[in-house]
């Protein structure tokens, strides 16, 4: 999965998601961003694509971000925060 290409524009999209998460809760760490990228690469590989597209990030985003944001507090659970972020 590490060989699956992630374009600079996609990495910018991931950075925007990380920055946006910091406005909803305690936010996602850089390590969470790396986990999200790895999961999106794996998803793209399973779909038979040589590169990651935003839909791959969105497909795995609820699970990865929801898990990472589950203990963020502020009265919002991780799945809800991830859903807000992706929409």
């Amino acid at each position: 999965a590490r060989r699956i290409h992630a374009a600079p524009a996609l990495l910018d999209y991931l950075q925007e998601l990380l920055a946006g998460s910091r406005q909803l809760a305690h936010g996602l760490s850089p390590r969470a961003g790396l986990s999200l990228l790895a999961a999106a690469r794996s998803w793209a590989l399973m779909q038979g694509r040589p590169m990651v597209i935003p839909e791959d990030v969105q497909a795995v985003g609820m699970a990865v971000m929801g898990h990472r944001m589950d203990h963020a507090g502020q009265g919002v659970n991780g799945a809800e925060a991830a859903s807000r972020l992706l929409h």
Side-chain angles (χ1 to χ4, degrees), residues 25 62 65-66 69-84:
M62 286 293 293
M65 292 187 297
M69 297 175 77
D70 207 23
H71 303 290
Q74 296 186 4
V76 178
N77 68 28
E80 187 177 334
S83 178
R84 286 183 190 177

Side-chain angles (χ1 to χ4, degrees), residues 12-82:
D12 290 343
Y13 174 63
L14 281 173
Q15 288 285 34
E16 289 179 27
L17 286 174
L18 295 177
S21 74
R22 293 180 187 112
Q23 295 175 5
L24 292 176
H26 291 158
L28 296 169
S29 68
R31 195 168 98 188
L34 292 174
S35 295
L36 183 55
L37 177 59
R41 280 183 162 148
S42 296
W43 186 262
L45 177 66
M46 290 189 299
Q47 302 305 311
R49 279 193 301 282
M51 66 182 294
V52 181
I53 59 175
E55 286 80 4
D56 298 324
V57 174
Q58 294 165 4
V60 298
M62 286 293 293
V64 175
M65 292 187 297
H67 167 72
R68 294 286 184 155
M69 297 175 77
D70 207 23
H71 303 290
Q74 296 186 4
V76 178
N77 68 28
E80 187 177 334

Side-chain angles (χ1 to χ4, degrees), residues 3-15:
R3 293 184 182 182
I4 301 297
H5 178 70
L10 183 94
L11 298 177
D12 290 343
Y13 174 63
L14 281 173
Q15 288 285 34

